[in-house]
Structures are given as structure tokens and as C-alpha cells.
Amino acid sequence: MTPLLLVAAVALVAAGAAAASRGAWLARAMIVQAVGAALLCVAGFWGLAAGTTAGSGFTSALHPRFGVDGLTAFFVASVGLVAAPAALYARSYLRADARGRAVGVLGGVFVLVLVEVLCARDPLTFLGGWELMSLVPAATILGARSDDASRHAVFLYVAAMHLAGAGTWIAVLLLAHAGAIGGGSVVARGSGLQVAVAASALVGMGAKAGLVPFHSWLPRAHPIAPAPLSAVMSGVMIKVAVYGLIRVLVDWLGVLPLWFGVLVLALGALSALGGILFAIFQRELKRLLAFSSIENVGIVALGLGACLTLRARGADGWAALALGAALLHTLNHAVFKSLLFLGAGSFERAVGSLDLDRLGGLLRRMPWTGGAFLVGALALAGLPPLNGFVSEWLTLQALLHVSSYGGVGDGAAGALAAAALAATAALAVLCFVKVAGLVLLGPRRTAAAATEAAAPMRAAVVALAATCVALGLVPALLFRRLVRLAPWPAAGSSSLGLHLPGTGSLPTLGIAASLALATGVLVALRGRGSAAPAPTWASGQIVEPALAWTSAGFSKPLRLTLEAVLRPERERAVSVEGGVVQEVTYQGRVPQLLDERLYRPAVALGLDAARHARRLQTGRLGNYVAYLIALVVLLLAAVKVGAIG
């Protein structure tokens, strides 16, 4: 059944992409794509529930093959779950001009490429799709925007993907050479081959996922993409990279050394904390959401690192639970992040800007979009009873058991990772209190009179918000199947609430009922004794727009606290006339430390080396012959001393 549904879904998405090239058919073509993507979602969850495999198995031979197993089915379902509302949203978002048609066509192609990577069962097909997964979004962004800043951001994105993507090629080709794809042969634990493959995959696939320190492309590329493409890129493209990591590190390489699991924990903690910390200081909504994607990929990496560490310690049951937590957060983030990017697109279309200091009062003027956006923000902040809280709670339990089962070193790493996750959750609440307060609440701060988005755009975000609620209320229906995806025997959860052995349970329905009851009581009490409205106190001054809270006002206490680490930059100008201060202007920014201290010097060094290397290009045949002779002599000398076998 799953292959038939999958083929029908792919055919519909392909037909919708082809039809989108005709401007008169664009709206109907996006509906066809949405139906095809919804069928992808059904096919994926059907395959996950059935627990069966279909098509070809994995092979190290370079012959195109396709197949589906439980892990593939889960990620295919995630692609469909995000792509369907994104395509529905695009029906009203895209205009029937050349740029709109380009986004419509390439958006459908992008979904097909993601499915191709997930279903690939041989190195050739997988790596070909992996490269297209970078190039198609770049072409889509360039088709939608033609300004210099966008072209520069796309150039950096493609360069980063291809430089770091060499790690993916090295990992997959080494596995194919060893015949280890799909478990064809066993890679010895701790061997040079195992470590080389694992490290290469972590660099190549971690860069695609946006893990720190390979993340610099993400906050540049995602904000400039059209809203439907941003939703798919942040919602599922970076999760396909997580799929690749799980295939290599968990499925094909067997039990990895303990230190490698600790390394993944460290990168996850750095990504989670760094992502949310820099998100707090952003003043543009989509850029803030992009940094938040880095945070959530870090949380997924924490679950994956816990899985690797616990498996190395022989705690297979908890390793499977940690893997299930990572997979559940992968899906949860796909849902609420795509919701937030689509909501941001609606706000930009209504107001004309995503500058946080220019937005305000949108919940009253756009109640459906604003209400759905609020649900997504609460889910991302990890508040109960929504889906983000559940997967973060499960990840925390796994990290606590890393400390329980580990020795001194990995136990301390587990404790530090748990502390990093707790700090990340607290900072996420601060970040999205800022977002909700500035964007949804308060007075209007722009001249534009925002109106509610079109019906398809509203329907898309409301459907995603409802999914956030459903995944938060009954997560165990999915979680117990995710635990069984581990390539070793493990038991899953057995009830609607989450019960973890030796830990206790998370009664999600009970928590939701308690919160609903408490909210109802508070609303009733407020209705009885409503106070008369009073103006805001502003130290006796008239309340003017200039006195309203700004993005910098929310983040300044944290910026001052972490000043020694963040190294913020400030510029002040004071205008004085007759001994009286007339005007004070202030500008400040928090620089991206890795960009400033690592990548920019590395690029400058590379360019300097290239300038010196150009001197070798004299244009004289004699010099080139001399270079070849010198190279042959060096190779012969290396063979002679045994450096080359």
C-alpha cells in the first residue's frame, strides 16, 4: 500500500510543478501540489505504522535503487506534513508573474528531490539528490529575488554547502568501498575507517543541518527565501540532513566510540545555546527564526548524542528512547517552525516589513494568523501542553540517564548537556516573549493597516497550529513507533501519556486539562472584578510611540550580563547646543563571533594564498613542463620511502 500511495503522491507533486509554469494555472497547480504532499504524509505515516519495508534494500553498488523502510517513511511523512500547507499557502502568496511561476515550479521540484534523497538506496542516487538539495533552493531564491544582497547570500550558501558537503561524499563513498552501506559488512568499532566516516558525516551532514560551527549559511539563506520555501527549508531540508546522520552514525556504523557520542553532545549543546542566544538579539523576524532553527537542530543533536553515548555504554533501551526523542523533536520542529515562517510571510505581506520594532498589534488585526503564530511561538518556547515541551522533556530525561550510566567523563558531559538544554529552554521563553510582545500585542507601530491574510494562507497556519496541539496531547501514539526504529530491540511507550522506565510519566492529557481549568478560573475571576482602564505610567510623560518597548530593550539586560562573551559593538553620537543635550543617537549590534573570529580570517587567508598561487601561472610552456617533472619526482620519492603504497 505504501509504495502505491508514494508513487501517486510523487506523480501529483510532479504534475503540479509542471502545471505551475503556466501563469493561468498557478493557483490550481499549487492545490495539486498540496494534495500530492498530503498524500506523501499519509503514505509516510502508513508505512511507519505498518512497520514494513518496500522496494530495494540498501546497496553499496552504484546502480539506482529506491525503497522505503520505517525511518524513511517517518521522514517522508515529515516532508508531506510541511509541504502540503506550504503549497496551499503558496496558492494565495505567489503572484502569477515570472517570479511566482519560478517559485511554484522549483518548489515542487524541491519536494521531489527531498523524497528522492530519502528513498535512495544506493550511493549514486543519494549523492546526486544531496547536491540537488542544495542547488534547487538556491535557484528558487534567485528566481524570486535579484538584488545584490540576495545573490551574495546565495553564493555563500552554495559555497558552504559544497565545501562542507565533501564530508558527505567522503563518508558515503568510504562506506560503499567497504561494502558497509545497509549493513553489508561490519565496520570494526574504533577503527580508522569508522572514525573517518563518522567525522566526515558529522561535518558534511552537520553543515547541511545547520550545526554550530557549520551554521553560518543558515541565517543568511533562510530569511531571504519566499515564505513557502523558508518553511520547507527550515522545516524539512535540514531534517533530511538529520536523516543522513542517523543512517550513518546509528544504522550503518554500529556502536561508535564513547568519545564520539560526547563530541555530538558538545556540538548539540553549543548549537542549542548559541542559536537561541543570538536569536534573542535579532531585530528581523525571519532572521530570528533562522537562528532558532540552529537552536532546535542542536536539541535534536543532543538526543542523537545521548543515543550514541548510551549505546556505547550498553544501555540499549535508553539509547532507543533517546533516538525516539530526537526523532520526535525533528517532527515537532518541522511543524512549528514551518508555521512560524508562514506566519511571518503573512505579516510581511500585510505590513510590508518584518522589523520587530515596526510590528505590533497584529493579533487584533489578524486574529487567525496571529493566534496560530502564537501557538507556534509557545510550542517553540517549549511550554506545555504543546509538542515542543514533550520532545524537550524526553530529551532531558535521556541526558539525565547519560549521567546515570556514564563514567566520570561522559557522565559530566551528560550533566552539562542537560544544563545546556535547561538554559536553552529558559532563553527560548525569553526570546518568544519578546516576539509575541512586539509582534502580536501592543499598539500598531506602522502606518500600514494590516488585514487578515487570504483564506488559503489562514488555513495553512491554522492546520499547523492544530498539529502542534495534537502532537502535544497524544505524543505516545507516535513516540512508541519512533523508539522501535532503533536498529536494536527496544520497547516503546504503551499509553497515551508517556511512561519512561525508572523515571515516571508525563500525563500530557492531564496537564492539558489542568491548564485549561486554571485558565478558565482566571478568566472567570477577571470577569467579576474588572478594573477600569488606566493609561500606562511613563514617569509622568505623555506616552508616545518613541517610548514603546523595542527589540533592544528586551535583550539589553542579557546583553549586559554576557558582555564579556558577546563583545557587543556600540556607536553613540551626542548633539549638544548651548551646553544642553539636544539629541542622542545610539546604534549597537552583537557580532557573530565565529564569523568574525574564524570564517572571515580563514577566507582572507585563502584569498591571500590564491593571490600568491597565481604567480605559478606564467603562461610559459617550459614552466608547466618543469612543474610536471617536479611532481613526478616527488611521487617517485614518496613511493621509494614507502609513503605511497
Side-chain angles (χ1 to χ4, degrees), residues 1-13:
M1 187 67 177
T2 301
L4 293 176
L5 289 172
L6 194 55
V7 169
V10 167
L12 284 172
V13 174

Side-chain angles (χ1 to χ4, degrees), residues 203-204 226 229 247 282 337 361 411 440 504 530 540 553:
V203 172
L229 181 63
R247 278 291 183 207
Q282 302 310 307
K337 185 50 63 68
L440 301 178
S530 299

Side-chain angles (χ1 to χ4, degrees), residues 195-561:
V195 172
V197 170
S200 299
L202 188 59
V203 172
M205 297 173 179
K208 179 79 76 176
L211 271 178
V212 173
F214 319 114
H215 67 289
S216 291
W217 65 271
L218 196 153
R220 291 181 168 89
H222 287 207
I224 63 172
L229 181 63
S230 291
V232 178
M233 287 180 70
S234 199
V236 290
M237 185 192 80
I238 61 178
K239 307 310 187 311
V240 173
V242 172
Y243 163 82
L245 279 173
I246 292 173
R247 278 291 183 207
V248 174
L249 301 182
V250 178
D251 197 6
W252 294 341
L253 285 181
V255 181
L256 285 162
L258 183 63
W259 65 264
F260 193 85
V262 173
L263 173 62
V264 176
L265 281 177
L267 291 180
L270 187 62
S271 299
L273 269 176
I276 193 60
L277 190 61
F278 282 100
I280 290 174
F281 299 115
Q282 302 310 307
R283 299 179 181 178
E284 201 265 352
L285 182 55
K286 287 182 73 174
R287 187 171 170 83
L288 181 150
L289 295 176
F291 273 103
S292 174
S293 292
I294 298 171
E295 170 223 348
N296 282 274
V297 167
I299 295 174
V300 173
L302 286 174
L304 181 58
C307 169
L308 299 176
T309 307
L310 289 164
R311 194 179 182 196
R313 283 293 183 183
D316 286 353
W318 269 103
L321 290 167
L323 179 62
L327 290 172
L328 184 60
H329 196 74
T330 297
L331 178 65
N332 287 340
H333 177 251
V335 174
F336 57 65
K337 185 50 63 68
S338 57
L339 161 60
L340 293 172
F341 269 112
L342 293 180
S346 297
F347 296 153
E348 185 176 27
R349 181 63 58 83
V351 178
S353 172
L354 286 178
D355 186 344
L356 292 175
D357 293 338
R358 298 187 61 197
L359 300 174
L362 293 178
L363 185 59
R364 292 191 298 274
R365 293 169 176 80
M366 305 174 68
W368 287 99
T369 303
F373 189 91
L374 180 60
V375 170
L378 294 175
L380 198 154
L383 297 179
L386 299 171
N387 55 342
F389 168 74
V390 174
S391 49
E392 289 188 23
W393 182 83
L394 288 167
T395 304
L396 179 62
Q397 299 305 314
L399 293 173
L400 292 175
H401 281 77
V402 170
S403 299
S404 300
Y405 285 94
V408 175
D410 51 319
L416 290 173
L421 178 58
T424 299
L427 291 172
V429 173
L430 171 63
C431 181
F432 284 91
V433 164
K434 161 186 164 176
V435 171
L438 292 175
V439 175
L440 301 178
L441 307 178
R444 187 177 74 187
R445 288 189 281 185
T446 62
T451 57
E452 185 58 273
M457 297 166 70
R458 294 200 305 268
V461 295
V462 169
L464 289 169
T467 305
C468 289
V469 176
L471 288 172
L473 292 179
V474 286
L477 294 177
L478 180 61
F479 180 67
R480 60 174 177 244
R481 289 177 172 82
L482 298 181
V483 171
R484 292 170 188 159
L485 293 179
W488 59 86
S493 179
S494 60
S495 63
L496 293 180
L498 293 174
H499 179 77
L500 302 182
T503 295
S505 64
L506 181 67
T508 51
L509 292 174
I511 291 174
S514 300
L515 289 173
L517 178 62
T519 301
V521 170
L522 289 174
V523 169
L525 292 175
R526 183 185 178 193
R528 288 183 180 180
S530 299
T536 303
W537 173 252
S539 302
Q541 301 181 70
I542 299 174
V543 179
E544 298 178 349
L547 297 177
W549 275 91
T550 64
S551 174
F554 272 95
S555 60
K556 186 172 183 178
L558 183 63
R559 188 171 69 249
L560 292 176
T561 302

Side-chain angles (χ1 to χ4, degrees), residues 80-100:
L81 189 59
V82 171
L88 177 63
Y89 182 95
R91 180 189 181 277
S92 296
Y93 181 85
L94 298 179
R95 296 184 173 92
D97 54 10
R99 292 183 177 180

